[in-house]
Amino acid sequence: MTSPVRVGVIGAGRIGQVHAEHLSYRIPEAEVLAVADVNKAAAVACAERLGIATASDDPRDIMGNPAIEAVIICSSTDTHARFVEEAAAAGKHIFCEKPIDHDLAKIDRALAAVERAGVKLQVGFNRRFDPNFAQVQQMVAGGQIGVPHLLRITSRDPEPPPAEYVKVSGGMFLDMTIHDFDMARYLMGSEVVEIFAAGAVLVDPAIGEAGDIDTAVVTLRFANGAIGTIDNSRKAVYGYDQRVEVFGSGGGIVVGNNAPHTAVYSNSDGVHAAKPLYFFMQRYTDSFINEMKQFIEAVQQDTPTPVTGIDGRIPVVMGMAAWKSYKENRPVKLSEIG
Amino acid sequence: MTSPVRVGVIGAGRIGQVHAEHLSYRIPEAEVLAVADVNKAAAVACAERLGIATASDDPRDIMGNPAIEAVIICSSTDTHARFVEEAAAAGKHIFCEKPIDHDLAKIDRALAAVERAGVKLQVGFNRRFDPNFAQVQQMVAGGQIGVPHLLRITSRDPEPPPAEYVKVSGGMFLDMTIHDFDMARYLMGSEVVEIFAAGAVLVDPAIGEAGDIDTAVVTLRFANGAIGTIDNSRKAVYGYDQRVEVFGSGGGIVVGNNAPHTAVYSNSDGVHAAKPLYFFMQRYTDSFINEMKQFIEAVQQDTPTPVTGIDGRIPVVMGMAAWKSYKENRPVKLSEIG
Amino acid sequence: MTSPVRVGVIGAGRIGQVHAEHLSYRIPEAEVLAVADVNKAAAVACAERLGIATASDDPRDIMGNPAIEAVIICSSTDTHARFVEEAAAAGKHIFCEKPIDHDLAKIDRALAAVERAGVKLQVGFNRRFDPNFAQVQQMVAGGQIGVPHLLRITSRDPEPPPAEYVKVSGGMFLDMTIHDFDMARYLMGSEVVEIFAAGAVLVDPAIGEAGDIDTAVVTLRFANGAIGTIDNSRKAVYGYDQRVEVFGSGGGIVVGNNAPHTAVYSNSDGVHAAKPLYFFMQRYTDSFINEMKQFIEAVQQDTPTPVTGIDGRIPVVMGMAAWKSYKENRPVKLSEIG
Amino acid sequence: MTSPVRVGVIGAGRIGQVHAEHLSYRIPEAEVLAVADVNKAAAVACAERLGIATASDDPRDIMGNPAIEAVIICSSTDTHARFVEEAAAAGKHIFCEKPIDHDLAKIDRALAAVERAGVKLQVGFNRRFDPNFAQVQQMVAGGQIGVPHLLRITSRDPEPPPAEYVKVSGGMFLDMTIHDFDMARYLMGSEVVEIFAAGAVLVDPAIGEAGDIDTAVVTLRFANGAIGTIDNSRKAVYGYDQRVEVFGSGGGIVVGNNAPHTAVYSNSDGVHAAKPLYFFMQRYTDSFINEMKQFIEAVQQDTPTPVTGIDGRIPVVMGMAAWKSYKENRPVKLSEIG
C-alpha cells in the first residue's frame, strides 16, 4: 500500500475548507499536514475542526515544509498565479482553484514555472467531475450521438454575488460563464474558435453600475464546425439551474437538474416536485470530492492531471473574447485575444 | 344558431387536405363548398374523399363564387400574395398559409389589398394554437414568470426536405426558423430588434450546394431587453424536437415534446420511453384544428383574427435579417431590412 | 370502395352522444341512420346536432329498420341484455356498452341469442383502445418483459358519482373496478382465478349508507401464477388517475397519466406541472374513437370483434367475486361464482 | 464542544464495515474504539483500513471495555438478541441491525433487558432515513395529503440472495418485506391490524425448494381504516426498485427511484435513461449515514432513538402474520400472532 499524499491547503475560506474536509475525511489516499490563511483565526478554526496538525497565517510555512508534496491553492484569485509559481519553485504539485488569473501574461508565467519545475498542475474546473456531465462527456466521446452538431448549456445561479465581489470577479464571463466555457470544450472535444456574446442587466441595476452584466446568451463556434449556445442568469428564483444538451448526427443527450428528493406531490392545484439543489456547494459536492480524488491519484501514480494548465488558460481567453464581443457587439475570434 | 361559414380551399396538397378535412369533419361551424387545385385530379380526389360539392382546377371558380365567404389559401408559396389580393378584391375573408411571400413589397401590396377590402386575414402560424405553447404564452402573459429575461427555442426536424424543395423554400431561416421567429414574438410579447445568426451545413452537403444551411443557432434581442436563442437542425434522428423555455424574474417555464404514449420500459439495458411524435402532421394536429376553428370563429363573430397580416410580415423580416447576419457574420438590426 | 356501415344508436345520453358523434364525424366508414332514446327530446337534439336523419323514442324503430346493419346500445344498464337479444333477433351486429348486465343468467341468455343469430358483438371496454394501455399490451404480448410476474393498476376517479347512481350501479366493483378487471385480463393475457378484495368507505359516508364502498385494494391471482393488485378510490382531488404497471422476468413497463400540456413551471415554491386530464371523457377520447373504428371495421370486413361477449361476461364474474370476497373477508375463487 | 461518542462495532461483515466507516469518517461526533468479529482476520482488516485501534475475535472485548459507550451490532441475525442482552447488561447503548430476532420470546427478553438497563436501543430500519421516504413521511405527517387512504410500496431486489442465505433468512417476508412493513407503519402513522399475503415462486424454483417464495403482493389493513399494498420481487432485471406512494383525501405523493445520473439519451430507437442505482449499498448510502448520525446524536444528547425496540418488534410480527396468511390463504390479524 502506498503512503498517503501529504498536502497543504492555502486559503481557509469556503472552498478551502471544503477541499480540506474532503482530503481529510473522504480521501484516504491524502493527508492534510497544514492549512494557511492570511486570516489566522480561519486557519486555526479549520485545522481544529478537521484535526489538521498545523495552522498558519503564512503560506511560506507550507511552501517551505519539505514533508508537503502538494499544495491546494484556494486563496483569493489575485494570489493564485503567484502561489502557483512559488509552489512550482518549491517542487510541489499544485491544485489551483479557477481561474489561475485574469491576466494572460501572469497565467503564462505561472504555467512556464510549472513546466520548468516538472510538477503537476490541476485547475479547479470541478464540474467535469460531476456524474451527470461526466456521463455526457463519455457518451459523446464514445460516439453515441455520432458527430456533434449543437451544444446547449443552461447555467443560472440562484442569486447574484455581493456587489463588492462583482467588482473583483472579472465580471460574469470570467467568473461564472468560465465554468460553462470549460464545460463546452470538455463535452464537445473540440476547441472554440469564435464567440458572440449578447449580455444585459436585467436582474439588478447595481450589477450594471459595477460595470458587469447579469444575463447573457453566448454563441460558440467550434473548430469542428459545431455551434454552441450558453445562457446565463445571475438569478433563478427556483434555484441553481445546471443543464446541458449535446446533439449530433446520431442522437442527443440532455441532462437535467438534481433535486434533494424525488417526491412528486399532486393536489387540487397541480403536480409538484422539489426545486433543484440550491447552489454549487450542494449541487457539486460529488464533483468536488471527485476532482480532489483524481488530483491525489495523479500525484500518487504519476499520471497527468485531468484538468491541465492549458485547460485553465483557455477559458480565460474565452471569457476575454466574450467581453470583447459584448462590448463591440460583434463575433470575436479567440485568435484576436492571444 | 348561426349558419356555418362557407369556405373554398385553394390547393389540395398535403396541408390543403388537412385543412379541408378539419373544416369538413371537425368544425361544425364551417362548410367547405369547393376545392381548387392546378392539379385537377388532386382537387377531385380531395372533394370525393371529404364530400365537397365542387372540385376545380381554377381558383377563379372559388373567387367568383358568391356563396363562398372565406378562402383557405394552401397553394404554392409563390402564389400566396396574388391569391390574397384576388380574394380581398372578391371581398372574401382569407386564411393564408405561411409565408405570405418572401418579397416584402409583395407582402405589403397584399396587406394593403386586405386593408382596403376590409376583409379578415389570418396567417398560418399554427404553432400558436398548440396546447403546450399556448399554455406557455398564457403563463408568461399572466405574469407567472415576472419580467421575461431569456427565451430558448429548440426546433429540429426529423429529416431534411427534398433538395428541390430546398431551392424554392427561401432557405432554412425563411422556411423552418420562420415558425420559431413567430413563436418568439408570440411567447415574449415583445418585438425582436436585432438578430445574430450562426449557421452551418452539417447534415447534408447537398443542402449547402443548394445554397442553404441545415444547422443554426440564432440569438434574438428583444425590445424589452430580453435575449432569446433558437437552435435548429434539419435532422434529429429521434424525431421532431419542439421544445420551448421562457425564463424571467419570477421563474421559468419549460415545455417538452409530445410522445405517442407514456409507456416507460425498464430492462437490463436501461429505462426506455417513446420517441417524440414523428413530424408536424402528427405533432401539430390539434394546433391545425384550433387555428382553423379560431379563423372560422373570427369570421362568424366578426372579431379580429388571432394571427394578423403584420404577424405574417414580421417573421419574414426576421428571416431576412437572419440571412443577412449569417452571410455578413454580424448582428443585424431588423430596421436594416425594412 | 366499400359502402359505409349503417348504424342506429340506442340511447342519446352522454356516452350515446359521444359514440354518435364519432360515428358521424370521425369514422368515414360508418353512417348513423337513426338515434332512439326514451327521452324523445334527447334523441331529437342529438340527431339535429349531428345531422342524423331519424330520431325516435322507440328502439323498435331501429330494430325494425332493415337498412340498419348494426346497433350501438348506450341505454341504461338494465336494458342492455334485452336490447342485445332483440338486436340479435333482428340480425343486427351489436356494440353494447359495459356491462351487459349484472345478472349472469341474463348475460348468458343474451350471449346465446348472439351466438344463435350469428351476429357480431363487441362490449364497450374502451380502455383497451387507449394508446398507453394498448402499447403495454403489445409489449407484454411481444415478450418484452419476459414472463409476467406482477401487475399493478391504479384507477382513481376525480369524484364520486351521485348517490342515486351509486344505488343502481352494481357497486364500485361492478361499476368502476370492472374496467380494471378487463384491463388485468387484457394486459396479462391470462385469466384471473382468485380474488381478494379489501374495501373501505373513506371518501363519503353516504356511499357507505347506500351499501357501497369508495376505496379498495384488490389482489388478483392469475392462472399463470402471476399476482396482480388494483387500487381504487372514488375521489382523487388531483384528477383522474389511470396508471398501469406490468413486471416480469425480463423487465417492467409503467404507464403514467396524460395531461393537457407538458409545461413545467418552476418558481420559488417548487417545480409544477399540470394535473392529469380531468375524467374519462377527456382522458379516453381516443380510445372511444378507436373502439368504434374497430367495431365498424370488424363488421365491414367480417372479422371477430376485439372485445367479445365472453370478454363482457368475465369482468362481471370478477366483480361478483370481489363483492363476495369483501363481504366474507376471504379470497374467493372465480369458480365459486359461475 | 462535547466529546465524541466512543463505540465498538460487533461484526465486520459488509454492513458492519459500512457502519464502521461512516462512524470513522462521516460522523465527527463518533469515535470507533474497537471492532470484533468471529473471523478475526475480518476484524483486523477492517480496523487497519479505518484506523480503528483494537481488533478482536471476541465481542466480550467490546462489552467489557469501560471506555465504550455504545455498541453497533452487525453480527449474524441469530446472535442479535443475545448481544443486545449482553450490551444492555454492560450498560451500553445499542444500535442493532434488523431483525432483533425471528423469535418473539427472544425479542421480548432482549427488549426487557434494554428496559431494565435504561440504555438506548435503535433498530436498523435505515430506509426511514432516506431523503425520499423521509420527505414523504414529513408531508403525510404534516397533513399535505389530508387523511391517508391508500399506501403503495414497490420493493424489488435486483437479484435473489444465495440459496444458503435464503434458508437462514426467515424467508422473504421476514428478510425483505420486513423493511416494507416498517416503511408502511412509518409513512402512514398508523398500525397495521390485518394482513393478507399472496406469494409465489416465479423467479427461481430453488427458492421454492428452500421453502421460501420470491414474489409477493401483500395487503395491509391499518387501524385508521386505510388500506396498503406491497409488491415484492426478488429479481428486477433493471435494478433495485424502491418506490412508494401515499394517497389521501387531499392529494397524493409518489417517490420514484434514484439513478446514478440524469442523462437522457435520444436516438433512432427511442429515449433512454439510466437504470436505478443497483442495490441497497448504492441506493441507501445516505440513509445508512443518517441513521447512524441520529443514533449518535440520541446518545450524546440523551434523547429517544428514532427507531425503538418496539419498532423492531412489530415488523417481525407482521412478517409472521404474512407467512401465516400466505400458508393459510386468508387474512390474518396481527393479534393472532402476539
Side-chain angles (χ1 to χ4, degrees):
Chain A
M1 183 184 162
T2 46
S3 61
V5 175
R6 289 153 304 169
V7 308
V9 174
I10 297 177
R14 185 167 54 176
I15 192 67
Q17 289 193 59
V18 164
H19 288 317
E21 180 170 340
H22 293 161
L23 289 161
S24 300
Y25 288 113
R26 307 298 292 274
I27 305 172
E29 295 76 14
E31 185 182 359
V32 184
L33 297 194
V35 57
D37 196 295
V38 287
N39 174 349
K40 180 144 188 190
V44 169
C46 174
E48 278 187 1
R49 185 170 71 83
L50 301 172
I52 299 169
T54 309
S56 157
D57 62 356
D58 189 346
R60 283 171 297 188
D61 293 345
I62 285 175
M63 301 298 186
N65 183 341
I68 289 177
E69 298 163 76
V71 297
I72 312 297
I73 301 175
C74 306
S75 48
S76 62
T77 294
D78 60 316
T79 65
H80 287 180
R82 177 160 55 89
F83 288 152
V84 168
E85 286 187 67
E86 291 179 16
K92 299 190 189 316
H93 300 299
I94 303 160
F95 177 96
C96 180
E97 268 304 322
K98 67 94 210 165
I100 302 175
D101 203 281
H102 294 146
D103 182 313
L104 290 182
K106 285 190 188 169
I107 293 175
D108 288 340
R109 210 169 65 190
L111 298 192
V114 167
E115 180 79 18
R116 259 194 323 273
V119 295
K120 292 175 194 303
L121 170 62
Q122 181 171 331
V123 178
F125 283 119
N126 63 290
R127 293 186 195 169
R128 293 187 178 207
F129 304 90
D130 174 69
N132 289 352
F133 300 133
Q135 176 70 19
V136 176
Q137 192 275 337
Q138 285 164 31
M139 292 175 81
V140 173
Q144 288 193 252
I145 62 156
V147 179
H149 290 178
L150 290 166
L151 167 74
R152 305 199 69 157
I153 297 178
T154 293
S155 175
R156 301 170 188 159
D157 286 353
E159 50 185 342
E164 59 270 31
Y165 176 81
V166 166
K167 284 171 190 157
V168 301
S169 69
M172 194 172 73
F173 291 131
L174 281 162
D175 175 55
M176 178 180 171
T177 322
I178 195 169
H179 277 292
D180 308 311
F181 290 144
D182 177 63
M183 188 54 56
R185 297 177 63 236
Y186 170 67
L187 293 179
M188 296 294 272
S190 176
E191 294 297 341
V192 168
V193 293
E194 191 176 273
I195 287 179
F196 176 74
V201 180
L202 299 173
V203 171
D204 184 355
I207 292 173
E209 285 154 22
D212 202 358
I213 57 174
D214 53 36
T215 303
V217 168
V218 180
T219 304
L220 307 173
R221 279 281 192 181
F222 290 88
N224 65 4
I227 314 174
T229 173
I230 298 167
D231 81 79
N232 290 139
S233 169
R234 281 292 198 182
K235 183 163 184 175
V237 297
Y238 52 81
Y240 200 35
D241 195 347
Q242 297 282 294
R243 288 171 288 150
V244 143
E245 178 171 347
V246 192
F247 170 83
S249 59
I253 310 169
V254 176
V255 294
N257 287 308
N258 289 9
H261 59 78
T262 68
V264 174
Y265 170 52
S266 298
N267 65 4
S268 56
D269 291 331
V271 176
H272 317 281
K275 290 187 287 186
L277 289 166
Y278 177 65
F279 210 170
F280 66 94
M281 298 295 282
Q282 293 80 40
R283 171 68 184 78
Y284 287 119
T285 303
D286 284 347
S287 76
F288 284 125
I289 296 169
N290 292 341
E291 75 170 348
M292 209 44 78
K293 267 190 189 154
Q294 293 200 22
F295 172 65
I296 294 298
E297 193 176 290
V299 169
Q300 204 168 34
Q301 304 184 1
D302 194 14
T303 53
T305 62
V307 190
T308 65
I310 195 69
D311 290 329
R313 185 186 194 276
I314 293 174
V316 176
V317 175
M318 294 172 76
M320 289 170 166
W323 273 122
K324 192 174 183 68
S325 170
Y326 165 68
K327 284 173 182 158
E328 302 180 4
N329 196 28
R330 66 171 182 89
V332 168
K333 289 197 170 8
L334 264 61
S335 57
E336 297 182 44
I337 305 298
Chain B
M1 186 183 162
T2 46
S3 61
V5 174
R6 288 152 304 169
V7 307
V9 174
I10 299 177
R14 185 167 55 173
I15 193 67
Q17 289 192 59
V18 165
H19 289 317
E21 180 170 341
H22 293 162
L23 288 162
S24 299
Y25 287 114
R26 307 297 291 276
I27 305 173
E29 294 77 12
E31 186 182 359
V32 184
L33 296 194
V35 58
D37 196 294
V38 287
N39 175 348
K40 180 146 188 191
V44 169
C46 175
E48 277 188 1
R49 185 169 70 84
L50 301 172
I52 298 169
T54 311
S56 157
D57 62 358
D58 189 346
R60 282 171 298 188
D61 292 344
I62 284 175
M63 301 298 186
N65 183 341
I68 288 177
E69 299 162 76
V71 297
I72 312 295
I73 303 175
C74 307
S75 49
S76 65
T77 295
D78 59 317
T79 64
H80 287 181
R82 177 161 55 90
F83 287 152
V84 168
E85 287 186 67
E86 291 178 16
K92 300 192 188 311
H93 300 298
I94 304 159
F95 177 94
C96 180
E97 266 306 322
K98 65 93 210 167
I100 302 175
D101 203 285
H102 293 147
D103 180 314
L104 290 182
K106 286 191 188 167
I107 293 175
D108 289 340
R109 212 170 63 191
L111 298 192
V114 167
E115 180 80 18
R116 259 194 323 274
V119 295
K120 292 177 194 301
L121 169 64
Q122 180 170 331
V123 179
F125 283 119
N126 64 291
R127 294 187 195 169
R128 293 187 179 208
F129 305 90
D130 173 69
N132 289 351
F133 300 134
Q135 176 69 18
V136 176
Q137 193 274 336
Q138 284 163 32
M139 291 176 82
V140 172
Q144 288 194 251
I145 62 155
V147 178
H149 290 178
L150 291 166
L151 167 75
R152 304 197 70 155
I153 296 178
T154 293
S155 176
R156 302 170 187 159
D157 285 354
E159 52 185 342
E164 59 271 30
Y165 176 80
V166 166
K167 284 170 193 160
V168 301
S169 70
M172 194 171 73
F173 293 132
L174 281 162
D175 175 55
M176 177 180 173
T177 322
I178 195 169
H179 277 292
D180 307 311
F181 290 143
D182 178 63
M183 189 52 57
R185 297 178 64 236
Y186 171 66
L187 293 179
M188 296 295 272
S190 176
E191 293 296 341
V192 168
V193 293
E194 191 176 274
I195 287 180
F196 176 73
V201 180
L202 300 173
V203 171
D204 184 355
I207 291 173
E209 285 154 23
D212 201 357
I213 57 174
D214 55 34
T215 304
V217 168
V218 180
T219 304
L220 308 173
R221 280 282 193 179
F222 290 88
N224 65 5
I227 314 174
T229 174
I230 298 166
D231 80 81
N232 290 139
S233 170
R234 279 292 196 184
K235 183 164 185 173
V237 296
Y238 51 83
Y240 200 35
D241 196 348
Q242 297 282 295
R243 289 170 288 151
V244 143
E245 178 172 347
V246 191
F247 170 84
S249 59
I253 310 168
V254 177
V255 294
N257 287 309
N258 289 8
H261 60 77
T262 68
V264 174
Y265 170 51
S266 298
N267 66 3
S268 57
D269 291 331
V271 176
H272 316 282
K275 289 188 287 186
L277 290 166
Y278 177 65
F279 211 170
F280 66 95
M281 297 296 281
Q282 295 81 38
R283 171 67 185 80
Y284 288 119
T285 304
D286 285 346
S287 76
F288 284 126
I289 297 169
N290 292 341
E291 73 171 351
M292 209 45 77
K293 267 190 189 157
Q294 294 199 22
F295 172 65
I296 294 299
E297 193 177 290
V299 169
Q300 203 168 34
Q301 306 185 359
D302 194 14
T303 54
T305 63
V307 190
T308 65
I310 194 69
D311 290 328
R313 184 187 196 275
I314 293 175
V316 176
V317 175
M318 293 172 76
M320 290 170 166
W323 272 121
K324 192 174 182 68
S325 170
Y326 165 68
K327 284 172 181 160
E328 303 180 5
N329 196 28
R330 66 171 181 90
V332 169
K333 289 199 170 6
L334 263 62
S335 57
E336 296 182 44
I337 306 298
Chain C
M1 186 183 162
T2 46
S3 62
V5 175
R6 288 154 301 168
V7 307
V9 175
I10 298 177
R14 186 167 55 175
I15 193 67
Q17 290 193 58
V18 164
H19 288 317
E21 180 170 341
H22 294 161
L23 289 161
S24 299
Y25 287 115
R26 306 299 292 275
I27 304 172
E29 294 78 13
E31 187 182 359
V32 184
L33 296 195
V35 57
D37 196 294
V38 287
N39 174 348
K40 179 145 188 190
V44 169
C46 176
E48 278 188 1
R49 186 170 70 84
L50 301 172
I52 299 168
T54 310
S56 155
D57 62 356
D58 189 346
R60 282 171 297 188
D61 293 343
I62 285 175
M63 301 298 187
N65 182 341
I68 288 177
E69 299 163 75
V71 297
I72 313 295
I73 302 175
C74 306
S75 48
S76 63
T77 294
D78 59 316
T79 64
H80 288 180
R82 176 161 56 88
F83 288 152
V84 168
E85 286 186 69
E86 291 178 16
K92 300 191 188 312
H93 300 298
I94 303 160
F95 177 95
C96 180
E97 268 305 321
K98 66 94 207 164
I100 303 173
D101 203 284
H102 294 146
D103 182 313
L104 290 182
K106 286 191 187 167
I107 293 175
D108 288 340
R109 211 169 65 190
L111 298 191
V114 167
E115 181 78 20
R116 262 196 320 275
V119 295
K120 292 177 194 300
L121 170 63
Q122 181 171 329
V123 179
F125 283 118
N126 64 290
R127 293 187 196 171
R128 294 187 178 208
F129 304 90
D130 174 69
N132 289 350
F133 300 133
Q135 176 70 16
V136 176
Q137 192 275 337
Q138 285 164 31
M139 291 176 81
V140 172
Q144 289 195 250
I145 62 156
V147 179
H149 290 178
L150 290 166
L151 167 74
R152 305 197 70 155
I153 296 178
T154 293
S155 176
R156 302 169 188 160
D157 286 354
E159 50 187 342
E164 59 271 31
Y165 176 80
V166 166
K167 284 171 193 158
V168 300
S169 69
M172 194 171 73
F173 293 132
L174 281 162
D175 175 55
M176 177 179 173
T177 321
I178 195 169
H179 278 292
D180 308 310
F181 290 144
D182 178 63
M183 188 54 54
R185 297 177 64 238
Y186 171 65
L187 293 179
M188 296 295 272
S190 177
E191 294 295 342
V192 168
V193 292
E194 190 176 274
I195 288 180
F196 176 73
V201 180
L202 299 173
V203 170
D204 184 355
I207 292 173
E209 284 154 23
D212 201 357
I213 57 173
D214 53 35
T215 304
V217 168
V218 181
T219 304
L220 308 173
R221 280 281 193 183
F222 291 88
N224 65 5
I227 315 173
T229 173
I230 298 167
D231 81 80
N232 290 141
S233 170
R234 280 291 197 184
K235 183 165 185 173
V237 295
Y238 51 82
Y240 199 35
D241 195 349
Q242 296 283 296
R243 288 172 288 151
V244 143
E245 178 171 347
V246 191
F247 170 84
S249 60
I253 310 169
V254 176
V255 294
N257 287 307
N258 288 10
H261 60 78
T262 68
V264 174
Y265 169 51
S266 298
N267 65 4
S268 56
D269 292 332
V271 176
H272 317 281
K275 289 188 286 187
L277 290 166
Y278 178 64
F279 210 169
F280 66 94
M281 297 295 282
Q282 294 81 39
R283 171 65 184 82
Y284 287 119
T285 303
D286 284 347
S287 75
F288 284 125
I289 296 170
N290 292 340
E291 73 171 349
M292 208 46 76
K293 268 190 188 155
Q294 294 199 24
F295 172 65
I296 294 299
E297 193 177 290
V299 169
Q300 205 166 33
Q301 305 185 0
D302 194 14
T303 54
T305 63
V307 190
T308 65
I310 194 70
D311 291 329
R313 183 188 197 274
I314 293 175
V316 176
V317 174
M318 294 172 76
M320 289 170 166
W323 272 121
K324 192 175 182 69
S325 171
Y326 164 68
K327 284 172 182 159
E328 302 179 5
N329 196 30
R330 67 171 181 90
V332 168
K333 289 198 170 7
L334 264 60
S335 57
E336 296 182 46
I337 306 297
Chain D
M1 186 183 162
T2 47
S3 61
V5 173
R6 287 153 304 170
V7 308
V9 174
I10 298 177
R14 185 168 55 175
I15 193 67
Q17 289 193 59
V18 164
H19 288 318
E21 181 170 339
H22 293 160
L23 289 161
S24 299
Y25 287 113
R26 305 299 291 273
I27 304 172
E29 296 75 15
E31 187 182 357
V32 184
L33 295 194
V35 57
D37 196 294
V38 288
N39 173 350
K40 180 143 187 191
V44 168
C46 175
E48 277 187 0
R49 186 169 70 84
L50 300 172
I52 298 168
T54 310
S56 157
D57 63 356
D58 188 347
R60 283 171 298 187
D61 292 343
I62 284 174
M63 302 297 187
N65 182 339
I68 289 177
E69 299 162 76
V71 298
I72 313 297
I73 301 175
C74 306
S75 48
S76 63
T77 295
D78 59 316
T79 64
H80 287 179
R82 176 161 55 90
F83 287 152
V84 168
E85 287 187 66
E86 291 178 15
K92 300 191 189 314
H93 300 299
I94 303 159
F95 177 95
C96 181
E97 268 305 323
K98 66 95 209 166
I100 302 174
D101 203 282
H102 294 147
D103 181 313
L104 289 182
K106 285 191 188 167
I107 293 175
D108 288 340
R109 210 169 65 191
L111 297 191
V114 167
E115 179 80 18
R116 259 194 324 273
V119 295
K120 292 177 194 304
L121 170 64
Q122 180 171 330
V123 178
F125 283 118
N126 64 290
R127 293 186 196 170
R128 294 188 178 205
F129 304 90
D130 174 68
N132 289 352
F133 301 134
Q135 176 70 17
V136 176
Q137 192 275 336
Q138 285 164 32
M139 290 176 82
V140 173
Q144 288 193 252
I145 61 156
V147 178
H149 290 178
L150 290 166
L151 167 74
R152 305 199 70 155
I153 296 178
T154 293
S155 174
R156 302 169 188 158
D157 286 353
E159 51 186 342
E164 59 270 32
Y165 176 81
V166 167
K167 285 170 192 160
V168 300
S169 69
M172 194 171 72
F173 293 132
L174 281 162
D175 176 55
M176 177 179 173
T177 322
I178 195 170
H179 277 292
D180 308 312
F181 290 144
D182 177 63
M183 188 54 56
R185 298 177 64 235
Y186 170 67
L187 293 179
M188 296 295 272
S190 176
E191 293 297 341
V192 167
V193 293
E194 191 176 273
I195 288 179
F196 176 73
V201 180
L202 300 172
V203 171
D204 185 356
I207 291 172
E209 285 154 23
D212 201 357
I213 58 173
D214 53 35
T215 304
V217 168
V218 181
T219 304
L220 308 173
R221 279 281 193 179
F222 291 88
N224 65 5
I227 314 174
T229 172
I230 298 166
D231 80 80
N232 290 139
S233 169
R234 279 293 196 183
K235 183 164 185 176
V237 296
Y238 51 82
Y240 200 35
D241 196 348
Q242 297 282 294
R243 289 172 288 149
V244 144
E245 178 172 346
V246 192
F247 170 83
S249 60
I253 310 169
V254 176
V255 294
N257 286 309
N258 289 8
H261 59 78
T262 67
V264 174
Y265 170 53
S266 297
N267 64 5
S268 55
D269 291 332
V271 176
H272 317 281
K275 288 187 287 187
L277 289 165
Y278 177 64
F279 211 171
F280 65 95
M281 298 296 282
Q282 293 80 38
R283 170 67 183 82
Y284 288 120
T285 304
D286 285 346
S287 75
F288 284 126
I289 296 170
N290 292 341
E291 75 171 348
M292 209 43 77
K293 268 190 188 154
Q294 293 199 25
F295 172 65
I296 293 299
E297 193 177 290
V299 169
Q300 206 169 32
Q301 305 184 1
D302 195 13
T303 53
T305 62
V307 190
T308 65
I310 195 70
D311 290 328
R313 185 187 196 274
I314 293 174
V316 176
V317 175
M318 293 171 77
M320 290 171 166
W323 273 121
K324 193 175 181 69
S325 170
Y326 164 68
K327 284 173 182 159
E328 302 179 6
N329 196 28
R330 66 170 181 91
V332 169
K333 289 197 169 10
L334 264 62
S335 58
E336 297 183 44
I337 305 299

